[in-house]
Amino acid sequence: MKNNTDLGKFGTYGGRYVPETLIPALEDLDKWYQRLKVDKSFQHELRGLLLNFAGRSTPLYYANNLTKQLGGPRIYLKREDLLHSGAHKINNTLGQALIAKKMGKTRIIAETGAGQHGVATSIASAAFSLKSEIYMGAKDVERQQLNVFRMNLLNSKVHSVHSGSKTLKDAINEALRDWIANFQDTHYLIGSVMGPHPFPSMVRDFQSVIGTEIKEQMHKLTGKLPDAVIACVGGGSNAIGSFYPFVNEKKVKLIGVEAGGQGIRTGFHAATLSKGRMGIFHGMKSYFLQDENGQISEAHSISAGLDYPGIGPEHANLSDTDRATYPHITDKEAVRAFVQLSKLEGIIPALESAHAIAYIIKNAKNFKKDETVVVTVSGRGDKDLQIVREYLSETEEGIQKKRQTKGIGHT
Amino acid sequence: MKIENSITETFNNLIQKNEKALIGYVVGGYPTLELSMEIIEQLIHSGVDIIEIGVPFSDPMADGPIIQDAFLKTLNSGITPRDCLNLVKTIRERHKETPLLLMTYSNILYSNGLEKFLIQSKDCDIDGFIVPDLNFEEADDYLKITSKLGLATVFLTSPNTSTQRLRRISVLSTGFVYMVSVFGITGSRNKFEKYTFESISRSKAIVSSYRKHLAVGFGISTPKDGQRMIESGADGIIVGSSLINIIKKNENDKSKMMVELDIFVKDLKAICKGPN
């Protein structure tokens, strides 16, 4: 007798690989989600929140200066960085917090890397008067003191996780352990298109508002579909949100940009689809960075939001079926793009999004001039100023720049 | 298809003696390979009926801090899944009768090819597997290959598992069904709540209607805990973190470690043997 279900499967990826205690909790969540997904009053309420609280829709901005300088395709920027909280994460946290509220849950838990999802969760929890506790790796707590303060300010308790590598993956482990013990009154608000079913589909649906708007806005601006949609990929939520409404539009190229860190041959990167292999972790079957024995590796990226050794199962399938491609961009290239977009367009992108920008900068010549590409700017770069400043001061480019500044300052 | 395995045999023998099963969990290669071998021998000698060997994994979702730390330490010392298989092989040569189970997270099983790992395990005379993050919905390949190789599959059940699910779990488990006593992860508890004992009674009725045995684990740290599980209907009790605690505490004093393990196991075994 066949026990396998197609529930939450993307090709062979996805599924539900969790301790038995969580199965009833996931079944319950799925049941609620399937019902609310088609519930008009729920959708109406969520739309109202996205509009009035989060600040949707976000602009699709024609980047004239960048386009001119690169001399390649016409580049449009999807400005998720303009949302309340400064990143796309809030599309998902509002949706899930609303579901949690309807389910009668009183407590929200979430994982966070640098703190962006933790902040977005704290905002949504505060808005719905839900108790909120955020798990964050001890190393990240150390590096992101300001975001810890921000979450505290928003009434969240932050747990510093000291197990394992003390980073995002360990924060997820700890949140899952909390959920196993407290599923009765607690909703685990996963921040990306990962984890056991129904999370990858549910988070994708909440983030698909990005792609849906892109489609409408492109139609209004150009009368047609874009030739390519480009977004950065860690777990992959802003990318799947940007891609999903275009998956069946076979002419639209979908490009997910992974973090190449210090270079994918160095071992210090987060290029899961390039260098990982199939595995089962954090409740799903997907690609993971792991050693030859199946121990999960640590990921490395200058951008904390991409610093995850796995990827959402739907991306694994889009990659296997060649519907989307997943190139990688190094820390260095991302920082350059961060600087270049700031200078040229007056937009400081998040380091995560800078990977997507860097891709088009690097590959503009591969597109025709009359082609159009949309790059999703998933978040704003204010949170990364300190990191970029330090990075620049440590590299030759930075040293060069310092000299210049000094020179100008003294003449 | 019914697999008559050494686990079932062990339970049947115990039932004839009117005893319950004592199942002991250790981390393969903790604190060292040599010492974990001696620990297992000690456990068998002191009265453990079934040995469960945990394969260290970098990210053990269902485990509390005691086992996490043991895993981390073991991984840092370079222990691999292959070492754990070899450990089983060596123990098997000396102890033909004691069932040896591997407890491993899915990624260890699947990462280099499921069939390959299961065949290697069979070659090392492993009796079966406990996989805490593998549910029957995702287990078709696993069930097909383990059944072909004659390896036992122990699935887990929880106090919140529905009757309908527990029926499937009972059908698909060979040897016994592993009941998680609490909503939570491994590690000792100060006290158990009423729901644990009610769930044991409810689960026992379902599991035994499929002629399978029910063993209860997670958080058992005293003979009294074990006794209450048995009184509620458990056919066996599983101890893990408590053993690891004793091992950790006495890492530098092997003879004291063995004495304490002996005392702890004998106390629990006395509970399993009942009041006569």
Side-chain angles (χ1 to χ4, degrees):
Chain A
M1 185 175 159
K2 192 170 142 55
N3 300 294
N4 281 25
T5 62
D6 296 330
L7 213 61
K9 290 282 161 63
F10 307 95
T12 58
Y13 302 105
R16 245 179 215 160
Y17 295 85
V18 292
E20 175 66 24
T21 307
L22 285 184
I23 294 283
L26 290 164
E27 283 177 346
D28 192 37
L29 176 62
D30 191 33
K31 211 172 65 198
W32 273 91
Y33 177 57
Q34 295 309 331
R35 195 160 68 69
L36 292 173
K37 203 165 117 175
V38 292
D39 181 295
K40 278 195 180 127
S41 80
F42 174 84
Q43 290 302 338
H44 180 77
E45 200 175 343
L46 181 58
R47 253 200 309 277
L49 284 160
L50 290 173
L51 184 79
N52 301 313
F53 185 68
R56 299 213 73 92
S57 58
T58 61
L60 185 71
Y61 176 70
Y62 173 56
N64 187 29
N65 300 337
L66 185 65
T67 299
K68 262 192 193 154
Q69 188 174 80
L70 297 178
R74 293 170 67 82
I75 299 166
Y76 291 83
L77 303 176
K78 180 59 174 165
R79 300 290 311 276
E80 292 298 294
D81 58 313
L82 292 175
L83 283 174
H84 177 37
S85 81
H88 73 290
K89 293 283 183 193
I90 199 163
N91 299 327
N92 170 44
T93 60
L94 285 176
Q96 283 198 51
L98 191 56
I99 288 181
K101 193 86 187 171
K102 303 274 176 209
M103 288 176 81
K105 305 284 179 190
T106 54
R107 179 173 173 264
I108 296 283
I109 54 170
E111 81 291 346
T112 198
Q116 293 316 108
H117 175 58
V119 168
T121 299
S122 304
I123 289 173
S125 303
F128 291 107
S129 310
L130 291 158
K131 199 177 157 208
S132 152
E133 295 180 33
I134 311 292
Y135 286 91
M136 189 169 182
K139 274 189 200 163
D140 293 327
V141 168
E142 200 59 42
R143 288 188 286 214
Q144 301 285 343
Q145 284 294 326
L146 202 58
N147 266 341
V148 174
F149 177 69
R150 195 169 294 169
M151 288 183 269
N152 288 334
L153 197 61
L154 291 159
N155 214 19
S156 281
K157 187 174 171 191
V158 178
H159 297 280
S160 180
V161 177
H162 290 269
S163 58
S165 63
K166 304 180 173 60
T167 60
L168 176 60
K169 83 176 169 74
D170 310 281
I172 296 171
N173 293 339
E174 219 46 50
L176 282 165
R177 289 178 187 125
D178 180 315
W179 205 31
I180 293 169
N182 300 299
F183 66 91
Q184 281 155 315
D185 69 351
T186 299
H187 175 69
Y188 179 15
L189 207 163
I190 290 187
S192 193
V193 283
M194 47 148 296
H197 177 71
F199 285 104
S201 314
M202 183 170 70
V203 177
R204 174 203 64 207
D205 290 349
F206 288 135
Q207 293 295 358
S208 289
V209 65
I210 304 172
T212 306
E213 284 180 13
I214 292 174
K215 210 172 190 177
E216 285 166 15
Q217 290 165 323
M218 274 310 275
H219 189 77
K220 239 179 232 169
L221 290 167
T222 68
K224 48 181 195 175
L225 293 168
D227 294 292
V229 179
I230 303 168
C232 63
V233 183
S237 71
N238 93 84
I240 210 80
S242 303
F243 294 172
Y244 192 60
F246 296 101
V247 166
N248 292 325
E249 311 278 8
K250 295 280 149 70
K251 281 183 186 159
V252 181
K253 280 190 199 122
L254 305 175
I255 302 165
V257 185
E258 291 196 315
Q262 297 172 23
I264 63 163
R265 277 180 203 88
T266 64
F268 293 92
H269 60 79
T272 309
L273 285 174
S274 294
K275 299 299 263 187
R277 61 175 203 277
M278 198 277 275
I280 293 167
F281 183 46
H282 282 159
M284 60 181 167
K285 187 182 274 187
S286 188
Y287 277 74
F288 298 97
L289 298 176
Q290 52 188 310
D291 74 7
E292 70 277 14
N293 295 312
Q295 309 297 350
I296 304 300
S297 310
E298 280 180 55
H300 294 271
S301 168
I302 191 169
S303 129
L306 305 183
D307 208 346
Y308 178 64
I311 187 164
E314 196 163 6
H315 285 295
N317 189 47
L318 288 174
S319 172
D320 273 15
T321 55
D322 290 327
R323 177 62 193 95
T325 53
Y326 294 88
H328 43 83
I329 282 292
T330 62
D331 289 349
K332 195 174 168 184
E333 292 167 325
V335 171
R336 268 194 201 149
F338 180 96
V339 173
Q340 199 170 348
L341 193 72
S342 303
K343 285 193 172 157
L344 280 175
E345 297 289 355
I347 296 168
I348 304 174
L351 270 175
E352 290 79 6
S353 325
H355 285 73
I357 305 286
Y359 176 83
I360 191 62
I361 291 174
K362 200 174 167 184
N363 296 285
K365 56 185 183 301
N366 300 331
F367 290 87
K368 292 189 203 105
K369 274 197 160 190
D370 61 347
E371 285 186 309
T372 57
V373 303
V374 174
V375 183
T376 301
V377 183
S378 54
R380 68 175 179 226
D382 306 52
K383 69 183 175 65
D384 298 316
L385 294 178
Q386 186 63 25
I387 295 163
V388 173
R389 193 176 168 207
E390 275 166 27
Y391 184 90
L392 289 175
S393 74
E394 281 161 16
T395 58
E396 219 173 293
E397 254 172 289
I399 293 161
Q400 205 93 90
K401 206 156 283 163
K402 255 189 208 161
R403 279 198 202 110
Q404 267 176 21
T405 329
K406 217 173 175 181
I408 296 161
H410 285 275
T411 44
Chain B
M1 181 177 149
K2 202 174 161 194
I3 301 172
E4 278 304 337
N5 56 44
S6 70
I7 303 165
T8 313
E9 212 177 294
T10 299
F11 270 97
N12 289 342
N13 289 340
L14 288 168
I15 287 166
Q16 284 194 346
K17 291 191 280 180
N18 209 12
E19 285 181 26
K20 306 296 176 191
L22 178 59
I23 302 169
Y25 170 94
V26 293
V27 172
Y30 179 78
T32 64
L33 260 184
E34 295 70 31
L35 208 45
S36 71
M37 187 116 61
E38 287 183 53
I39 289 164
I40 292 166
E41 298 227 50
Q42 177 68 55
L43 295 181
I44 294 171
H45 177 77
S46 303
V48 169
D49 300 299
I50 297 171
I51 297 284
E52 205 185 295
I53 296 167
V55 182
F57 179 51
S58 54
D59 297 82
M61 195 205 298
D63 285 300
I66 297 168
I67 291 173
Q68 283 174 46
D69 288 349
F71 275 6
L72 192 67
K73 189 159 185 271
T74 310
L75 288 173
N76 287 340
S77 74
I79 299 291
T80 65
R82 184 72 238 183
D83 292 327
C84 295
L85 296 185
N86 289 336
L87 177 65
V88 170
K89 198 173 177 182
T90 315
I91 300 160
R92 173 61 73 222
E93 281 161 11
R94 300 183 204 168
H95 301 273
K96 306 277 181 227
E97 311 288 310
T98 309
L100 304 171
L101 291 165
L102 269 200
M103 166 130 169
T104 172
Y105 284 86
S106 295
N107 202 51
I108 301 284
L109 279 184
Y110 283 80
S111 134
N112 285 309
L114 176 66
E115 184 153 22
K116 191 172 139 200
F117 192 89
L118 293 176
I119 288 171
Q120 283 175 355
S121 305
K122 182 69 188 176
D123 289 345
C124 293
D125 265 342
I126 283 165
D127 292 295
F129 284 89
I130 303 170
V131 190
D133 58 349
L134 185 65
N135 311 101
F136 63 79
E137 283 94 339
E138 308 289 356
D140 279 353
D141 291 349
Y142 166 77
L143 283 164
K144 206 171 97 190
I145 304 167
T146 47
S147 150
K148 195 175 76 188
L149 295 172
L151 290 163
T153 51
V154 174
F155 284 91
L156 290 89
T157 186
S158 168
N160 60 336
T161 299
S162 68
T163 300
Q164 198 190 355
R165 280 186 69 81
L166 184 51
R167 289 183 190 284
R168 286 302 296 152
I169 289 167
S170 304
V171 169
L172 298 170
S173 292
T174 46
F176 65 95
V177 172
Y178 187 139
M179 179 169 159
V180 172
S181 63
V182 289
F183 300 134
I185 51 181
T186 58
S188 61
R189 299 282 184 294
N190 286 329
K191 71 182 198 63
F192 289 93
E193 288 175 51
K194 216 171 121 198
Y195 78 85
T196 291
F197 306 104
E198 287 171 358
S199 311
I200 293 172
S201 308
R202 181 184 72 94
S203 304
K204 161 74 177 177
I206 298 165
V207 170
S208 62
S209 73
Y210 291 89
R211 311 181 74 146
K212 301 284 164 70
H213 306 287
L214 184 75
V216 182
F218 279 37
I220 298 173
S221 58
T222 65
K224 200 169 153 255
D225 293 337
Q227 179 145 28
R228 291 181 71 195
M229 307 288 174
I230 288 168
E231 280 164 9
S232 303
D235 300 308
I237 52 173
I238 306 163
V239 283
S241 297
S242 299
L243 296 175
I244 311 280
N245 246 345
I246 295 174
I247 295 164
K248 189 179 174 182
K249 207 174 67 190
N250 299 297
E251 232 173 86
N252 299 317
D253 189 345
K254 195 173 92 182
S255 54
K256 192 157 167 267
M257 181 196 294
M258 297 305 169
V259 169
E260 285 192 26
L261 285 173
D262 186 49
I263 294 168
F264 183 71
V265 169
K266 280 185 175 148
D267 281 353
L268 285 168
K269 190 60 199 171
I271 295 302
C272 293
K273 281 184 173 166
N276 35 359

